[in-house]
Amino acid sequence: MTVTRTGPLPGDPDAVYDVVVVGAGVVGSAIARALARHPLRVALVEAANDVGDGTSKANTAILHTGFDALPGTLEARLVREGYRLLSAYAQETGIPVEPLGALLVAWDEEQRATLPRLAEKAERNGHRTTRLLTAAELRVREPHLGPGALAALEVPGESVVCPWTTTLAYATQAVRSGVELHLNCRVEKVRPGDPYHRLVTRRGVLRTRHLVNACGLHADAFDALVGREDFTVTPRRGQLLVFDKFARDLVRHILLPVPGPLGKGVLIAPTVYGNVMLGPTAEDLDDKTATGTTAEGLAGLREQGGRILPALLDEEVTAVYAGLRAATGQEDYRIAAHPGLRYVTVGGIRSTGLTASLAIAEHVRGLLADCGLDPGPERPLARLRMPNLGEAFPRPYRDARLIAREPDFGSIVCHCERVTRGEIRAALTSTIPPGGLDGLRRRTRARGGRCQGHYCSAEVRAVFEEYGEGAR
Amino acid sequence: MNRTVDVLVVGAGPAGLAAAGRLAALGAGRVEVLEREPAAGGVPRHCARPGFGADARGRPLDGPAYARRSVRAALRAGATVRTGVSATGWAGPLTLDVTAPTGLERVRARAVVLATGARERPRSARLVPGSRPAGVMTTGELQRLVLRFGARPEPIGRRAVVVGGDPVARNAVRTLRAAGVEVVAVVTERAARRVVFGSVPVLTGAVVTELLGRGRLTGVTVRGGDGRTNRHTLRCDTVVFTGDWIPDHELARAGGLPLAPGTRGPATDGAFRTAVPGVFAVGNLLRGVEPAVVAAAEGRAAAAAVLDLLAGHPWPDGGVPVRAAGPLRWVTPGLLGPVAAPLLVRSERRLVRPVLTVTQDGAPLRRERVSGSLVPWRSVRLAQSWTDGVDLGGGPVVVAAEE
């Protein structure tokens, strides 16, 4: 198993990869995992020091049925297929998913009039179980909704999922199945060639026959390195508020806004960690690093959230963050194969990318074959079981047998999130260990709770230095 | 494993240890204190400064010495103190689920005393916008980092900004400077006593409007302060958000205890009884931080009512709610029962020689000009006599202030 973070790239400098996937977000990791099914030499390279450290770590964490996709688009198909694939994969590997179902709540006549059209659209997307709810039925389902809700469209199957575990699961399984993962490895130049391309990275040169661009926000910039200018990525910022776990009882479904001419509005959804999320904003920016929140953004979210679920605002806020979606000015993914270059660009993957990731990976596997890749026979992937971060599933601190075997699982280090020393140690010694405390948080939830490290930060850091990268 | 004790105290800080010590000394039976941290003693363990009273010979105590003394006293009195043990929820009205390296337990008690303390709101709860770099912390986190790692720049930085004007901001400044960190400025929305911050510039009437930096903090944007009206940037790699306390009410809320709206701590009567029979709450869980000796006094004072309960006395119903109004931030206790109790009052801002009033159903009970000032960083204690004449069958009692 090969995971590197520093130093020159290991191995024989004359060796040639069959495929290099650039970008270890949820999409790039899924593609690497799909390729790992074959006897290929594959590398996954990533500029950041962890997998899933860009757009993938800061999305709305919803597993979409795809009911509201634009019918006939590639996105509609891949989201629908991805929903099925990821649901099954989550079951198999222990990625937390809660199938809460969604309610699209209409707050005015115009929105109410839209609901039947949305139901038809869902039907055209193969989703036939939606149902219109009256105000009274809605009130029974969601007793804490603010005044003025007129009706709703119920969408069974919409789910919440752990985005961090998902990306990590793909990358871990890929690495265990033979993919080489190189972090802190930004690609600075590409010298296309035949029979192989040369990628000049900060840590040395990689040679590969086939190339996949899964660079997310930077997909256009990477295309330019290869000599293509097919689209431009405009970062669209989404700010989000995560409320305390005591807010969890206030909401039972994913509350989606009814899309309308006056913008998309915000959603309120439980998280698999037992919190409640409010957001996102939608702001088109130029700066691909502008992941900060703004006073206006947060005030606007609170105002909108307070109308939907007034009691929410009485609860404490646990976390505030912003993510950037890769908008390309077209309402579809921008996935394109360039057989002449033996190159596939996976661009414009918006917030549905988490849901669609496994289907995108299958699609890309096909496109690579079109580009001349002979993948060889299929073989089983390495087995995988991810540690559970979800509140709806058993956690180590309540597992008497586990604690009896390994007392560290009875030693709670992060009290707000009830993360034990055993879990932190396991993450630090896992296949892809975190490169820092933020990566550790995404693997365990440590320091991610209501006190944000007030109590546990020193202890978590101490364990990190004992077992983590700092110890090496 | 299921066990039964007479009194289960959650939290081995000053209040919990004092309650346990007094109860054990007075023959309450088996008194057990649960502490989730590896060591008992509570927040004073991290406060290496004087201000924790004096020892028997009159020598001033610092936090760690005070913590050690509190633990020793509780143990000597016969209480059991268990560390590294977390109470994770309720399995019944007086039964707690517990996780420890030794395994899971269900501990049933005849009385439960919650003494889970308070913490400072982190940056996120204060809705401070900006990026999410490393180097953003509370005083509590800072003190623990320094205690654990000493003056290492990676966790605590080299140049810090401290946000807040309460005494805890002064402690943050002191901790930073002792660790060799330059303190660039203290930023506070309210008026502050500049003199306590020594040579550190104090920007009053100022708020942090944005955090800057990717990876590590590179600065904070501040609006206002000392005649400035525009935004300006203070370069720093650490920012410490101080004060702004929230009681650690997780167990209290999980147990269904109603909270007092002003403090977000469980509502109690003057004898520290909550709304759930058999469950008491003491110390900084009630409202945020008071000095350790105040919290400990409350722990001791609660022992009498706990013993009453153990002796089979009935749990009084309800009580009259007490509320703060006007420029007062909170008042405790939140309920007045048959036994008169002193009130603790905190003001929102500085009030010079205000008139304090106590009214019930619009009728004045007491009205008195206080001689000094009320300040937001210190509570005022109103003697039991202030609530003489309260009608236990009447409406809420309102404590207010006029300038």
Side-chain angles (χ1 to χ4, degrees), chain A residues 102-186:
Chain A
L103 298 175
L104 281 97
V105 182
W107 297 90
D108 59 35
E109 282 305 330
E110 200 174 341
Q111 291 184 352
R112 172 149 66 179
T114 312
L115 296 182
R117 285 208 298 280
L118 285 164
E120 284 165 33
K121 190 178 181 184
E123 191 131 342
R124 274 189 289 155
N125 281 316
H127 200 305
R128 292 182 183 82
T129 52
T130 63
R131 204 165 82 79
L132 289 167
L133 301 183
T134 65
E137 289 172 310
L138 174 58
R139 185 93 13 220
V140 172
R141 302 281 177 97
E142 290 290 356
H144 296 280
L145 273 189
L150 299 178
L153 180 68
E154 184 188 30
V155 186
E158 289 279 303
S159 307
V160 295
V161 61
C162 176
W164 305 327
T165 307
T166 305
T167 307
L168 188 64
Y170 297 161
T172 299
Q173 200 169 29
V175 168
R176 287 191 192 165
S177 305
V179 171
E180 297 177 29
L181 173 64
H182 302 300
L183 300 163
N184 285 323
C185 190
R186 184 184 298 279

Side-chain angles (χ1 to χ4, degrees), chain A residues 241 244-247 288-296 298 302 314-322 396-400 403-404 406-412 415-416 418 420 438 441 447 449-459 461-463 465, chain B residues 36-38 84 86-89 97-106 116-125 127-132 134 136 138-141 144-145 148-149 152 154-155 209-210 214 216 231 245-246 248-251 253-254 264:
Chain A
L241 288 168
D244 193 281
K245 294 179 199 305
F246 281 111
K288 289 178 180 173
T289 63
T291 52
T293 49
T294 64
E296 302 72 40
L298 301 183
R302 286 182 70 83
D314 294 337
E315 298 297 342
E316 294 282 308
V317 169
T318 295
V320 177
Y321 66 96
Y397 80 91
R398 296 296 301 148
D399 187 337
I403 296 167
E406 181 53 79
D408 268 1
F409 286 98
S411 174
I412 297 180
H415 305 296
C416 302
R418 297 184 178 159
T420 62
D438 287 345
R441 182 182 64 228
R447 285 167 69 251
R450 54 172 70 95
C451 90
Q452 293 281 297
H454 179 98
Y455 289 108
C456 67
S457 169
E459 189 58 27
R461 181 180 282 272
V463 184
E465 293 187 0
Chain B
R36 64 190 192 176
E37 304 235 358
S86 302
T88 57
D97 276 330
V98 165
T99 291
T102 47
L104 303 182
E105 281 179 11
R106 205 152 255 195
T116 50
R119 63 189 156 82
E120 296 159 287
R121 282 195 174 81
R123 166 265 176 109
S124 49
L127 297 180
V128 179
S131 58
R132 296 178 77 197
V136 182
T138 57
T139 317
E141 182 175 350
R144 286 158 198 266
L145 284 170
R148 182 95 203 199
F149 298 105
R152 242 179 49 190
E154 193 199 336
T209 55
E210 191 179 355
R214 300 175 61 74
R216 183 81 194 191
R231 291 176 189 220
W245 299 97
I246 170 111
D248 252 313
H249 56 216
E250 181 176 6
L251 264 189
R253 278 191 80 176
R264 309 288 287 157

Side-chain angles (χ1 to χ4, degrees), chain B residues 157-183:
Chain B
R158 293 190 167 85
R159 280 169 61 84
V161 165
V162 172
V163 182
D166 290 4
V168 65
R170 180 188 181 188
N171 295 339
V173 168
R174 193 162 15 196
T175 303
L176 287 163
R177 297 184 101 181
V181 180
E182 181 191 350
V183 183

Side-chain angles (χ1 to χ4, degrees), chain B:
Chain B
M1 195 171 82
N2 293 315
R3 290 192 307 114
T4 302
V5 297
D6 292 293
V7 184
L8 189 62
V9 180
V10 185
L17 289 170
R22 173 63 64 93
L23 283 163
L26 295 178
R30 188 176 167 125
V31 179
E32 186 167 301
V33 189
L34 304 182
E35 171 55 53
R36 64 190 192 176
E37 304 235 358
V43 167
R45 288 194 302 126
H46 313 117
C47 299
R49 58 176 172 83
F52 290 86
D55 69 8
R57 294 184 205 163
R59 290 173 303 194
L61 284 172
D62 69 359
Y66 178 86
R68 283 194 299 274
R69 200 183 63 161
S70 312
V71 178
R72 267 202 313 272
L75 293 174
R76 241 193 339 251
T80 306
V81 179
R82 301 172 65 209
T83 57
V85 179
S86 302
T88 57
W90 301 83
L94 292 172
T95 306
L96 283 167
D97 276 330
V98 165
T99 291
T102 47
L104 303 182
E105 281 179 11
R106 205 152 255 195
V107 187
R108 195 187 151 82
R110 297 168 64 207
V112 173
V113 180
L114 299 179
T116 50
R119 63 189 156 82
E120 296 159 287
R121 282 195 174 81
R123 166 265 176 109
S124 49
R126 302 176 194 220
L127 297 180
V128 179
S131 58
R132 296 178 77 197
V136 182
M137 58 189 75
T138 57
T139 317
E141 182 175 350
L142 168 73
Q143 288 173 331
R144 286 158 198 266
L145 284 170
V146 170
L147 192 72
R148 182 95 203 199
F149 298 105
R152 242 179 49 190
E154 193 199 336
I156 56 170
R158 293 190 167 85
R159 280 169 61 84
V161 165
V162 172
V163 182
D166 290 4
V168 65
R170 180 188 181 188
N171 295 339
V173 168
R174 193 162 15 196
T175 303
L176 287 163
R177 297 184 101 181
V181 180
E182 181 191 350
V183 183
V184 183
V186 171
V187 177
T188 170
E189 240 175 303
R190 299 196 286 239
R193 291 175 302 168
R194 282 160 199 276
V195 56
V196 305
F197 296 108
S199 59
V200 176
V202 180
L203 306 179
T204 55
V207 285
V208 172
T209 55
E210 191 179 355
L211 304 190
L212 309 169
R214 300 175 61 74
R216 183 81 194 191
L217 185 76
T218 56
V220 298
T221 307
V222 174
R223 189 184 61 230
D226 296 332
R228 288 185 196 241
T229 49
N230 292 336
R231 291 176 189 220
H232 53 285
T233 298
L234 300 172
R235 290 282 150 210
C236 57
D237 57 5
T238 288
V239 60
V240 185
F241 287 95
T242 73
D244 195 359
W245 299 97
I246 170 111
D248 252 313
H249 56 216
E250 181 176 6
L251 264 189
R253 278 191 80 176
L257 307 187
L259 303 185
T263 59
R264 309 288 287 157
T268 60
D269 67 8
F272 306 95
R273 296 184 194 97
T274 70
V276 173
V279 179
F280 298 80
V282 294
N284 291 336
L285 163 65
L286 296 176
R287 80 266 122 167
V289 159
E290 296 292 326
V293 288
V294 173
E298 289 174 351
R300 275 191 300 277
V306 177
L307 288 172
D308 279 353
L309 173 83
L310 297 181
H313 291 252
W315 193 259
D317 285 340
V320 185
V322 188
R323 294 198 193 122
L328 298 182
R329 195 171 358 151
W330 53 252
V331 57
T332 61
L335 295 170
L336 280 175
V339 181
L343 300 175
L344 207 58
V345 174
R346 206 47 100 112
S347 71
E348 194 67 65
R349 55 188 164 82
R350 188 187 187 90
L351 303 171
V352 181
R353 290 181 34 78
V355 175
L356 291 183
T357 61
V358 180
T359 54
Q360 184 179 29
D361 297 325
L365 294 177
R366 177 127 177 178
R367 180 181 174 85
E368 190 173 307
R369 186 176 288 281
V370 294
S371 53
S373 298
L374 259 57
V375 290
W377 56 81
R378 201 182 314 121
S379 303
V380 173
R381 194 166 179 272
L382 306 178
Q384 293 172 8
S385 57
W386 278 72
T387 51
D388 281 348
V390 163
D391 173 7
L392 291 177
V397 172
V398 178
V399 186
E402 301 159 11
E403 283 173 276

